[in-house]
């Protein structure tokens, strides 16, 4: 193993990273700095995390609040592209990884570390996302991925490893689901979900009511959108992060935002995941409603291309690349007109945009309904159709004269 | 006006086409043959339609049952591409137009007509779809679009026109909504929908219960899929059309399949439409669930491109074109592996695929969960990541050495 | 005909627009302002043009020099996207139309005109481009397209029309080819070109030597590129327009830049056109050479999508649209790294980039050739391949176990 | 090292694979079967290859003639998509790999081998292509890639290795360029090409005259195309492979088909390659000429998407995947109308299609030139333009009324 003096570890306080701290020290003979990203995973996960890190053997622990920056600089740009991975997944984990990696690199620079470590397994996407960002931001730093090196492959062996070193850990020997949470979503894998023929049991879901448990009365919420960003909820101006928090509160009650899919991982296999993105689902519905009003046909078709491309590049961990800059610049241009108000109905697991308006709306009652106006003359349609179908006509005439 | 002897009119029995029959005879001095396409719009619409046509002055009336052919040859091919127009619209009207136009041309050939007529307005998509298909199938036949020619621009003037000619018509002077129905869906425009800030009133919807009125208990339905087509519902083998009918019955009770959008028409303006596609929404959810299991990452991304392209070409009336043949051929190739079973939950307006399996599934519990197997060695991930992020690394090294 | 007081005509001094001036006055009883866009079509075309306009009956004639702006603001943005229409056409006419339309609208505003007129025929693309730009920039102004209105459908009838009014015109009664020139290119249509089975005769070509007549010795030219723009030729800093002029001089001698194609017009028919774009062809080759060095695989693939989209939108006259803003923004982002030097060889009709370098080059001799380095370890390849082909492997294993 | 009994090696008779035979036997203690694919690399490369293989220690040597199958089943399908990698590379090496891999697997099945081996280096694309195909066709067979395992990293060490074992080898200790040839092309890497600032010296090129050495008189060749395949050259019917051979003979004299590029390898780095594809360049030009005549605007735009996608998937070794089947099916559909004749001019390094005709041509002199006909009425253009630009107009009116 190569010589490393100081490593910054993306530390969560969970079982895995608790064991990684001593493992790094023993195997790399290096100082370990714990880095905790606060991306809105919740107060309970952060509570006492610094003490835990020190108890595990870290020489320092940095907790960095990334919540507002994550929503403003990573989530909203993604939303502006309309990216939804494989038609369904709102990219909650994917969008958080680059900001965590970037902040981790910043800590590494600050403390003069020569390596970075993470607790991602060797079968998942996150290792690629972290290390892809590290390659772009700090190609000179070594990367250590203990899960690809060590032989501690069960929770029990990890607990034993900690016990042998007298490192306290509250983790239990069994854990059904693997979860990941941030301000935007919580994901669930494992347990009965491993078989796609199993319906998720109610204990899978952590944030949202089931549609059955949701109130019998619908709730309406009004979102104000400016250039592709939600700026107010029910008339109250809120920061990007606060918006998400507020909408999570509202939408989770109504069971909105549950998704249960089998997805293609970047590393070539499929996995089954359940996601809860209550506020995000409402925001996405509002942004699509504005797009309906303000984007012309060619622009909406093009935006679908942008969104498809972006969904893959975010999922695949290509945040710090020219490709991302390019696709995003295209989406930002279209978002300039994405301003307006949307009223959404939340009911029993569903969100529906029921009222929409925009100062940039291309919809006009006058154009769409009756005929005699300066803008649209029905007789124009004949000429349009003749030229629009001219190639078909020529081709058909060709065939008929053969 | 050019000399026309016999015209085949796409006749519905409604107010517009009832007036078009005498109008054609008077203005073109030609024989009018009524052609009625049975695309599943419902028995009440077809009842007595032949008598009505004759009473209006048509010399003959042909009613052609297109229901099975429409679902098998127009709807399923579209579904195989995954086409959803502008992310939401299941293309119910768009898919019906080409088969109607084709059958109309066949009648015209049979009766030796020299012209075709339709009752579409000059502001809509359907005129382009009909005439685009006519151009491809019968470029030698004249096309008459009375709505672009006459000055009968209100329901009242049409009723007067019929009354003056003693042609009986049950139509009322006022009609709030403009609707179009076939086996797949029913669409609604007009009335309060003209303003996107108005929520649709309950009287808009014709087929489905509101989510609020839907049963308080979920219903589960099992769909069997073979090569991209639903072949059985709850174990009962059904023809393509029967499947749709069966699923319409089931899903409409649960309020599934309502959509309320502002869409871009082909003719350059936006319109607001509400659609009910209960069975179709369930079918689409099942097909997507199978795709989750059987399509690899690159194939799913590509299929999204196919679906996007197809959604526009169907909406735009380009059915009988080489472009359609090409995109469809691409989708048919991917559909070869789209076989399996899906259990869907219907509840309060929502359909969710809760169980899915396929003999061609690329999901494997073994691969996704634990490590030591022949197929996936976690240590491979390091090599993958290094090469996957190599361009980023080189670029970053470039910058750091400047 | 609607009431019009003052019209600004895009005037060239040729036969058509010479006749349009009196025709507009006689048929619309309005004042006619001639507007001449200097887009580099050549001094001989501009000489005496104002006097001609006045002699035809125009009350004023504005000549506006658009050469630098056209190259800087319309051509270079297009080049940054890599747009080549249908794989071959460098969009010379298409890129000029929006700037001419914009300048024409500015003159109309300045003189308080209420209408715009152009001399484009009713079968071509240019009418759509002009009027599409007018719709975007001046939807309130009327548009007059005499070619779609009058019955002067031959050169002879136009000459007669002018003679009857004693308007002098040097045009001859016969003209084989229809040509359009600006700084970027000259196009040729008509004559024997109407049959794609006819090889273009040498008299078609105006700017370039034939490859046979070109020098027997190659010439080398060095282009310096900064962020996607050529800034110097053989070390001499030049403005965007001067670059094009300089490279036209050099490349035309060597017969570079001839293209002979059948293309799809926007209006549904095909046309056969020959184009000479000597300098542009050299510039495009240089920019592609830089891209080879600086764009990673995913970015180049994406840029091809941008270029394809842009080629159609420019050809189709959609310059002043959100779609253009979006695609261009995406291309501008990628162009940030497109800096470097390229040496090109010009010989007998061909241009070849023979030397290329860039400070942002991702090519590294060290990485590409031998193995033992920090950046690339050959053993990584195995892991890459295993994950890269994992879906294929799973699929194949599936099949073999059935 | 895992237990292997019999391995089939893709054997060329060159230095690398000559050393791999004994290396496999010594390191894997297995029987080695040599497999030589005749893909048109030339008689001199095949001469005595069996004897060489046996002398190296192979127990058997299979030489399989794949020439016709390669052109018919791998090259023409690719050509039908229009695939050109990164705008320039005609994919000569990429297209050959899957057929070689497939034939190698067939030999392995025939002889009951349990492993496959190849001589590709660990930095290139070919290892991924071979092993990707192996994964799809024979996931049960082990794969051995000696270049990623051994420490014989120079020609000298390989020669020493052979000399120590008394295995005769005619290879010289120095070799400037690395080349790969088949019926379609020959590629060149290494030597001075390692620096993109170096112009390739004349000794790089093997098949083609330099443009300077090419005849001073142009040669014309006529290609007959049927459904996207060249079926005759100058009126002489030829098999797919014979066509390529014939056109290689003709075009190489005129210096046609040289390409010099820096390309993105699949494994994340760039490489500089020179390619000679004389006949292929002529064929591609002919197919594009036919496309100009027979594909409408939307179909050509779509075909560019197909070609872009296919170019990457072939380059990336994804031949035996559903993605390939899908994209190819789309291209085959478009190729149904790609029939006609093209005359091409070959002169001093350039090929130009100078005459083209097709029974399916959508070009019509009558439509393109004068106006009064049934198919195109110039007055239709106004209607077309009004609707085509309607969204721009509405948007502009919106802004002007604010």
């Amino acid at each position: 193993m190569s010589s490393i003096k100081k490593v910054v570890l993306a530390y969560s306080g969970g079982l895995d990273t608790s064991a990684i701290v001593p493992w790094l020290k023993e195997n790399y003979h290096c100082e370990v700095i714990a880095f905790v990203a606060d991306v809105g995973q919740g107060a309970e996960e952060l509570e006492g995390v610094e003490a835990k890190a020190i108890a595990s053997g870290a020489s320092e622990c940095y907790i960095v609040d990334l919540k507002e920056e994550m929503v403003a600089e990573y989530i909203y740009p993604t939303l502006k592209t309309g990216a939804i991975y494989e038609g369904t997944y709102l990219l909650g984990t994917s969008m958080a990884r680059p900001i965590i990696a970037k902040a981790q690199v910043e800590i590494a620079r600050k403390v003069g570390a020569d390596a970075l470590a993470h607790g991602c397994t060797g079968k998942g996407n996150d290792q690629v996302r972290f290390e892809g960002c590290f390659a772009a931001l700090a190609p000179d730093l070594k990367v250590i991925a203990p899960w690809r090196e060590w032989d501690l492959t069960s929770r029990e062996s990890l607990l034993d490893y900690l016990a042998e070193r007298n490192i306290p850990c509250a983790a239990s020997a069994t854990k059904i689901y693997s979860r990941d949470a941030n301000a935007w979503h919580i994901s669930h894998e494992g347990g009965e979900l491993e078989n796609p023929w199993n319906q998720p049991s109610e204990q899978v879901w952590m944030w949202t009511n089931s549609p059955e448990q949701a109130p019998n009365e619908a709730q309406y919420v009004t979102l104000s959108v400016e250039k592709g960003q939600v700026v107010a909820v029910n008339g109250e101006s809120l920061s990007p992060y606060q918006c998400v928090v507020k909408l999570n509160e509202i939408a989770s009650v109504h069971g909105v935002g549950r998704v249960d899919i089998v997805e293609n991982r970047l590393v070539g296999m499929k996995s089954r995941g359940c996601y809860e993105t209550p506020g995000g689902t409402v925001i996405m519905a509002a942004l699509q409603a504005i797009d309906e009003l303000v984007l012309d046909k060619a622009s909406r078709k093009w935006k679908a291309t942008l969104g498809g491309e972006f969904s893959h590049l975010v999922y695949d961990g290509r945040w710090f690349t020219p490709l991302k800059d390019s696709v995003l610049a295209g989406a930002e241009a279209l978002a300039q007109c994405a301003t307006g108000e949307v009223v959404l109905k939340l009911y029993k697991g569903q969100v529906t945009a029921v009222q929409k308006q925009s100062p940039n709306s291309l919809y006009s009652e006058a154009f769409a309904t009756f005929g005699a106006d300066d803008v649209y003359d029905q007789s124009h349609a004949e000429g349009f159709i003749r030229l629009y179908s001219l190639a078909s006509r020529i081709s058909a005439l060709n065939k008929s004269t053969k």
Side-chain angles (χ1 to χ4, degrees), chain A residues 23-338:
Chain A
W23 184 88
L24 285 170
K25 291 171 71 176
E26 292 173 25
N27 288 277
Y28 284 88
H29 312 291
C30 61
E31 186 184 347
V32 177
I33 313 291
F35 157 71
V36 180
D38 178 3
V39 290
Q41 63 269 56
E44 65 283 10
E45 294 219 20
L46 295 174
E47 206 186 303
V49 71
E50 181 170 4
K52 274 198 247 179
I54 303 301
S56 279
S59 50
E60 285 184 286
C61 178
Y62 290 85
I63 304 174
V64 185
D65 182 354
L66 302 169
K67 296 192 294 289
E68 284 290 357
E69 187 185 349
M70 180 181 75
V71 179
E73 304 297 330
Y74 293 76
I75 292 180
Y76 266 113
T78 302
L79 296 182
K80 283 178 192 169
T81 70
I84 302 180
Y85 184 66
E86 296 192 338
T88 320
Y89 170 43
L90 291 177
L91 293 162
T93 302
S94 322
M95 295 186 293
R97 294 315 179 211
I99 187 173
I100 297 175
K102 179 169 145 277
Q104 185 176 359
V105 166
E106 285 164 4
I107 297 292
R109 297 307 188 197
K110 185 174 168 179
V111 303
D114 49 359
L116 302 159
H118 62 73
C120 311
T121 76
K123 291 200 140 184
N125 299 304
D126 284 335
Q127 57 177 342
V128 193
R129 294 172 186 147
F130 269 107
E131 298 179 38
C133 293
F134 294 160
L137 300 174
D140 54 311
L141 297 186
K142 290 267 187 306
V143 176
I144 307 173
W147 275 102
R148 298 200 305 256
E149 293 189 25
W150 68 20
D151 50 5
L152 304 170
T153 55
S154 68
R155 290 184 69 80
E156 251 176 43
S157 61
L158 287 167
L159 287 165
D160 289 348
Y161 186 85
L162 289 172
E164 285 163 19
R165 283 152 186 81
N166 288 318
I167 297 174
C169 180
S172 62
T174 57
K175 195 181 131 195
I176 304 178
Y177 305 109
S178 163
R179 311 193 197 265
D180 176 70
N182 59 43
W184 184 250
H185 90 153
I186 182 166
S187 68
H188 319 283
E189 296 187 343
E192 82 275 14
L193 301 178
E194 292 299 340
N195 183 344
W197 192 247
N198 290 337
Q199 183 166 3
S201 65
E202 226 11 74
Q203 62 175 331
V204 166
W205 309 100
M206 301 288 286
W207 285 10
T208 54
N209 276 328
S210 71
E212 283 85 351
Q213 292 165 322
N216 289 321
E217 207 158 322
Q219 182 173 353
Y220 291 80
V221 60
T222 301
L223 266 56
S224 307
V225 177
E226 267 181 39
K227 301 193 175 181
Q229 302 214 18
V230 178
V231 295
V233 175
N234 291 329
E236 181 188 4
S237 291
L238 292 169
S239 76
Y241 168 66
Q242 288 170 330
C243 266
V244 173
V245 171
K246 180 77 177 174
L247 289 166
N248 276 344
E249 282 170 26
I250 295 171
S252 59
V253 172
H254 293 278
V256 165
R258 291 184 174 189
V259 160
D260 167 15
I261 52 170
V262 173
E263 77 198 46
N264 285 297
R265 281 190 193 152
L266 172 56
V267 291
M269 66 182 60
K270 287 184 177 287
S271 69
R272 200 262 189 98
C274 287
Y275 301 96
E276 295 171 88
T277 322
T281 302
V282 176
I283 291 172
M284 192 58 97
L287 296 181
Q288 287 180 347
I290 296 294
D291 279 358
E292 290 181 14
L293 294 177
V294 301
L295 294 182
D296 63 83
K297 193 173 200 293
S299 297
R300 277 201 93 184
K301 191 180 180 206
W302 175 243
K303 186 171 166 178
T305 300
L306 295 174
E309 194 70 20
F310 209 81
S311 72
H312 280 268
L313 76 84
V314 172
Y315 189 89
D316 297 353
R318 295 179 183 259
W319 190 271
F320 300 108
T321 64
L323 179 63
K324 188 223 74 179
D325 294 343
S326 176
V327 182
L328 181 54
E332 298 271 13
L334 291 181
Q336 292 310 300
C337 61

